[in-house]
């Protein structure tokens, strides 16, 4: 709780997954072509395989033509399924064991991911961020940031139906 009359809540993270050179190195540039790249990352463990679900919605349902950078978490049990599915498409690149998320966030101005500490990394690069909370503790931060229009909060993965997820992502990707 803040003592400032302009704010009701302070949120933050003690950790960032960005190497300092990503923030200042001019070699990290955004591709601002007609279809901006999308990054997709749901943390190290990707609980419930939400990465594959969202990737399938983007490519099979919405049929985006944007290039998609899929970051597969180091502890994900879905690596092989994601890679197998992505092989069908020429607009998907799988990144495993990424130790510098900034190198991807800096070139993909649209980001879809969880509401954990990586949300700050995405905001640093001014990514248009669609957040799907994958744990209960991500909901307050996601809602707070959505209330000030810093992110678009789609909802909690455990409570979203496939159709709601499709509609939420499509509405925000198209706008």
């Amino acid at each position: 709780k803040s003592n400032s009359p302009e704010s009701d809540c302070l949120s933050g993270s003690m950790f960032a997954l960005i190497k300092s050179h990503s923030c200042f190195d001019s070699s990290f540039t955004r591709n601002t072509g007609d279809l901006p790249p999308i990054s997709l990352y749901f943390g190290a463990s990707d609980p419930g395989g939400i990465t594959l679900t969202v990737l399938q919605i983007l490519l099979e349902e919405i049929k985006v033509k944007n290039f998609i950078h899929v970051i597969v978490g180091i502890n994900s049990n879905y690596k092989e399924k994601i890679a197998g599915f992505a092989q069908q498409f020429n607009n998907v690149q799988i990144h495993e064991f990424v130790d510098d998320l900034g190198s991807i966030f800096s070139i993909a101005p649209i980001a879809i991911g969880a509401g954990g500490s990586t949300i700050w990394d995405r905001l640093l690069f001014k990514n248009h961020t669609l957040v799907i909370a994958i744990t209960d503790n991500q909901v307050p931060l996601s809602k707070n940031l959505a209330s000030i229009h810093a992110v678009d909060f789609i909802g909690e993965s455990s409570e979203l139906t496939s159709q709601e997820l499709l509609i939420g992502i499509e509405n925000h990707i198209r706008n």
Side-chain angles (χ1 to χ4, degrees), residues 37-40 55 58-59 64 66-70 91-95:
I38 298 169
S39 69
L40 189 58
L55 187 60
L58 288 170
L59 295 168
V64 299
N66 309 57
F67 195 85
I68 304 171
H69 294 274
V70 180
N91 62 327
V92 178
Q93 182 176 355
I94 304 295
H95 303 271

Side-chain angles (χ1 to χ4, degrees), residues 59-89:
L59 295 168
E60 294 181 330
E61 302 291 332
I62 301 174
K63 300 186 186 317
V64 299
K65 301 297 181 204
N66 309 57
F67 195 85
I68 304 171
H69 294 274
V70 180
I71 305 164
V72 180
I74 193 167
N75 298 320
S76 175
N77 293 323
Y78 302 92
K79 291 176 202 166
E80 291 80 22
K81 288 181 180 179
I82 293 167
F85 175 75
Q87 284 180 337
Q88 306 172 60
F89 303 91

Side-chain angles (χ1 to χ4, degrees), residues 152-164:
D152 293 322
F153 182 54
I154 305 297
E156 299 175 56
S157 64
S158 62
E159 296 180 6
L160 291 169
T161 66
S162 295
Q163 188 64 23
E164 289 170 330

